[in-house]
Amino acid sequence: MTSGTGRRGPYRISAPSRSDELLRPLAGGIGGPLGRHADPGRVAPGHFTVQRVVILLTVLSAVLSVLVKNPCRAAGWSSPDYFYRACYSDWAELYRSRGLADGVLPFITPGTLFEYPVLLGLLASGTALLVGALATGADLQQKTLLYFDINAVLIAGVWLLTVLATLRLANRRPWDAAIVAVAPVIILSGTINWDLWAVLLATAGMLALARDRPVLAGILWGLGTAVKLYPVLLLGAVLVLALRTGRYRPFAVTALATASTWFLVNVPFYLRDREAWGYFLTFSEDRDAGFSSGWYVYNALARRAGGISLTPEAINTGAGVLFGLACAGIALLALGARRRPRLAQLALLIVGAFILCNKVYSPQYALWLVPLIALAVPRWRVVLVWQLAEVLHWGAVWLYLGGMTSGGPPEHNLGLGTYALAVILHILATAYVLGVVVSEILDPRQDVVRRIAIDDPQGGVFDGTADRFVLSRIRHRRPSPRKEAVASSAEPPGRGRSGHARIGWRDPDDRPPKDPQ
């Protein structure tokens, strides 16, 4: 294997206790950071490899995610109790209210309307069939509990695969996968809906693209789009990189595979029952602003103040225009930046902009961002600030919905004002993460990933490729004289025998590895 310095030998890996500004001082509680003579990635770690540790962390987190829902598992899912106990799950609600408990299967039973894409409906139907086979003669409460438990076990497996895919995408920073393994938002919201299935397919597609397998990447993203819409947005990041490098074939192949897979999944159900197939689209278009979106907060405050609220049509138009402008801005940034952004950075900006502009936001939507943040901006301080805001929003939305659905004791409810502040905090925290990414794109010396002689570990064929098209009118941020001196070896970036761009060694883990004896 070739190291990042062009020498033969295993790659060194980045140790968080050395390289992360937040974890470095906290490492004293577990014996301190790695010593100067430790050689992570080149010395056998024994039983506690990075992969085994993150697997263990994921399993423990998955158990904790079920314990969070245990009040409902013990007492049943009923409104408004599941709001006040913060154990609400769409699985239980859909199983009872959409006829799944009675054998009605979305996209299989004729005339059944289901407000989700096809593949998600088939997941719901498949687990319902499994419950019917295992719980013959059980009452509704027992079947609902089994339905939740089966989906929770499957989600734990999906979560684990997502962590492993993130670990492999992280290249010489495998510990960044721990961000996904112990993410509080996944612990709290992973068992609300089937979103983690889409997250796995999106992340696995990125891994396939990183390994120069665009057809497989497109297939995985097409399947992910048939679960939730957002994986198709990752094609935007590939398109921008194709424009900048002049390598259009990877984008064309990936896009064609994505579209073909999505059509193959959807066309049979479209031909069989057009109304049932199109219900997801019409439901999304006609519905009012969803809870926790900025649009909902505006409408709710406007109604309370006697102002003008926005119609669903106006919100659809506004959300589309804002997202279009955001994508145009991201494209200009990517095509004009002094150094080409990494795929994960662009993907995070696009998906994050979609979340902020969309008229619907649910707590589980934060799951979409977790692997992207771990790959794009793996700074624990940034990660924890964002996760804290999302956890506060997670608690606020249940207390707000509890009050709306029950009118119970005021001390148990959250008013519109406090709830609106929680939503605004979530929006600002997400915008903060995106702002950090933009800052690192404008000044790549701040990018902790590129400090260890890496260009774009998720970029696949774009990794280390020369630029063909760069906008010249964006004024780049000029670094301080000290940073200019430190990174002087990076202008323009050289390339070692590994093909990775090199921008100099700055952090303790950035020292070139010793020659193997």
Side-chain angles (χ1 to χ4, degrees):
M1 185 180 294
T2 307
S3 69
T5 62
R7 301 175 180 176
R8 293 291 176 181
Y11 281 109
R12 290 178 65 94
I13 64 172
S14 177
S17 63
R18 286 176 172 174
S19 59
D20 191 271
E21 59 186 7
L22 177 64
L23 298 184
R24 191 186 305 121
L26 297 179
I30 55 173
L34 286 177
R36 294 179 58 187
H37 301 290
D39 209 1
R42 293 168 61 91
V43 176
H47 294 291
F48 294 101
T49 63
V50 179
Q51 179 167 302
R52 289 173 181 170
V53 171
V54 296
I55 288 174
L56 178 60
L57 292 175
T58 306
V59 172
L60 294 175
S61 298
V63 172
L64 186 57
S65 71
V66 174
L67 292 178
V68 171
K69 297 294 192 294
N70 209 49
C72 287
R73 293 183 69 256
W77 280 268
S78 60
S79 178
D81 292 339
Y82 52 38
F83 292 135
Y84 290 123
R85 295 168 180 163
C87 56
Y88 173 84
S89 174
D90 285 337
W91 297 339
E93 185 65 27
L94 293 172
Y95 183 72
R96 295 177 306 180
S97 64
R98 298 299 187 275
L100 290 165
D102 301 319
V104 177
L105 304 177
F107 300 106
I108 297 177
T109 303
T112 301
L113 301 180
F114 199 63
E115 65 270 29
Y116 293 101
V118 167
L119 200 52
L120 193 150
L122 296 180
L123 285 171
S125 298
T127 48
L129 287 172
L130 187 57
V131 170
L134 296 176
T136 305
D139 60 26
L140 179 59
Q141 184 171 344
Q142 292 172 326
K143 287 184 177 180
T144 303
L145 175 59
L146 182 58
Y147 188 75
F148 174 88
D149 287 346
I150 289 174
N151 279 288
V153 171
L154 293 174
I155 282 293
V158 167
W159 187 356
L160 180 58
L161 292 175
T162 304
V163 169
L164 294 177
T166 305
L167 183 145
R168 283 156 176 75
L169 278 166
N171 194 270
R172 290 174 56 199
R173 295 182 56 91
W175 284 109
D176 292 341
I179 293 174
V180 185
V182 300
V185 296
I186 301 183
I187 293 172
L188 297 175
S189 302
T191 53
I192 292 178
N193 204 292
W194 291 273
D195 289 69
L196 269 179
W197 285 90
V199 174
L200 169 62
L201 292 166
T203 309
M206 291 180 66
L207 180 59
L209 190 69
R211 295 183 173 180
D212 299 344
R213 301 179 67 181
V215 174
L216 178 59
I219 291 173
L220 292 168
W221 285 350
L223 293 174
T225 305
V227 178
K228 289 281 185 175
L229 175 64
Y230 95 92
V232 74
L233 301 176
L234 302 182
L235 285 173
V238 182
L239 173 60
V240 173
L241 293 178
L243 291 173
R244 178 142 180 172
T245 62
R247 294 195 170 191
Y248 301 104
R249 185 177 182 278
F251 168 74
V253 172
T254 307
L256 180 60
T258 301
S260 300
T261 302
W262 185 88
F263 275 107
L264 287 174
V265 172
N266 282 269
V267 166
F269 298 95
Y270 172 79
L271 296 177
R272 183 172 182 268
D273 190 339
R274 295 185 182 183
E275 182 182 3
W277 179 88
Y279 181 68
F280 162 68
L281 299 176
T282 57
F283 177 82
S284 300
E285 182 179 358
D286 297 339
R287 69 181 300 182
D288 204 349
F291 292 107
S292 296
S293 69
W295 304 100
Y296 175 85
V297 169
Y298 169 80
N299 271 354
L301 294 176
R303 293 188 185 104
R304 171 170 290 188
I308 300 176
S309 60
L310 299 175
T311 63
E313 293 77 11
I315 295 174
N316 292 338
T317 301
V321 170
L322 287 178
F323 182 58
L325 292 174
C327 288
I330 294 169
L332 290 175
L333 172 68
L335 295 175
R338 177 172 52 194
R339 187 170 182 189
R340 184 174 63 251
R342 295 185 286 112
L343 176 70
Q345 292 175 319
L346 295 174
L348 176 58
L349 291 178
I350 294 171
V351 177
F354 177 77
I355 284 177
L356 292 179
C357 297
N358 196 22
K359 72 174 184 179
V360 178
Y361 182 80
S362 298
Q364 68 269 20
Y365 287 11
L367 275 56
W368 305 356
L369 298 180
V370 177
L372 296 177
I373 290 177
L375 297 170
V377 54
R379 297 175 179 267
W380 278 92
R381 188 186 304 277
V382 174
V383 171
L384 292 178
V385 167
W386 172 71
Q387 298 240 357
L388 176 61
E390 293 295 341
V391 168
L392 292 175
H393 166 261
W394 175 86
V397 69
W398 304 132
L399 295 179
Y400 179 68
L401 290 174
M404 288 191 65
T405 56
S406 71
E411 63 270 18
H412 294 163
N413 301 329
L414 205 63
L416 175 60
T418 307
Y419 170 66
L421 289 177
V423 174
I424 293 172
L425 178 63
H426 129 72
I427 292 174
L428 292 177
T430 304
Y432 161 69
V433 174
L434 303 186
V436 172
V437 174
V438 171
S439 175
E440 293 184 353
I441 290 175
L442 292 175
D443 186 2
R445 295 165 184 81
Q446 300 180 26
D447 187 352
V448 295
V449 173
R450 281 179 161 163
R451 288 179 181 176
I452 52 177
I454 288 177
D455 179 32
D456 187 356
Q458 298 89 40
V461 296
F462 304 115
D463 181 28
T465 303
D467 290 329
R468 295 292 182 87
F469 175 74
V470 182
L471 296 176
S472 59
R473 294 186 178 181
I474 291 185
R475 183 175 298 173
H476 304 295
R477 180 186 303 174
R478 184 169 183 80
S480 65
R482 184 181 67 83
K483 289 184 177 180
E484 188 73 50
V486 170
S488 60
S489 63
E491 299 292 346
R495 294 178 62 187
R497 290 165 64 182
S498 65
H500 293 297
R502 296 169 55 193
I503 62 172
W505 304 89
R506 296 182 12 171
D507 281 356
D509 278 330
D510 297 344
R511 298 186 303 274
K514 302 175 184 177
D515 286 323
Q517 298 299 323

